[in-house]
Amino acid sequence: MAELLLALDVKGREEAARVALACEGELDAIKIGYPLVLSTGLGIVKELAKANIPIIADFKVADIPNTNALICEEVFAAGCSGIITHAFCGSDSLLAIVDGAHDHGGSAFVVCEMSHPGALDFLSGANAERMAKMAKESGADGIIAPATRPDRTAVLRSVIGGSMKIYSPGVGAQGAQPEDVKKYVDGIIVGRAIYESADPGKAAHEFRVRAL
């Protein structure tokens, strides 16, 4: 059974709260990113927490170690349970995120390969596999790998083994289906197919059932 994560890439507090409350009981986590946080501030985390759903900050952090550590402090002080980071800035920058997350009782997830076509330019193949190895060596809790390319996600699973989680974006609007990757991953990430639905709660329930 794969977890269901909602990529809540909406703007505005009211819309975010409406979707989150509609999906209560169907989600294992909500992933928030720049569109929502830049339009509302990090205070939105505490508002979304009213739906009793863990919040993961999808900031795809990519900076020097000191800056990464400071970002972690703000993210977890706001009430997030996890953070998503890039690995290409190097092992020291990655370790700053992993250590920062763990110091605050949170989790760190590492982008190894993204779900859009342009990811094939750099975030794929040997580069992705090298970053997956870095994620494992750093003690990260999991990686991000694409539902849109199940064969690649299978390869990355073989790199990290079974002890780390894989969360997989690209289900729904980008064309992937839960059935494509659920045997390889611990969670599927769905965005527009839920939050743009006329009934987000029903849509979330349908994806949850298909992820079983």
Side-chain angles (χ1 to χ4, degrees), residues 130-146:
R130 182 178 180 185
M131 288 187 285
K133 290 178 184 176
M134 288 174 59
K136 184 174 183 179
E137 291 168 356
S138 73
D141 300 276
I143 66 170
I144 307 299

Side-chain angles (χ1 to χ4, degrees), residues 94-141:
L94 175 56
L95 194 59
I97 289 289
V98 174
D99 287 347
H102 293 171
D103 287 347
H104 290 86
S107 301
F109 301 94
V110 182
V111 177
C112 292
E113 186 164 334
M114 296 175 73
S115 54
H116 64 299
L120 296 174
D121 293 343
F122 296 106
L123 294 177
S124 188
N127 287 338
E129 291 154 34
R130 182 178 180 185
M131 288 187 285
K133 290 178 184 176
M134 288 174 59
K136 184 174 183 179
E137 291 168 356
S138 73
D141 300 276

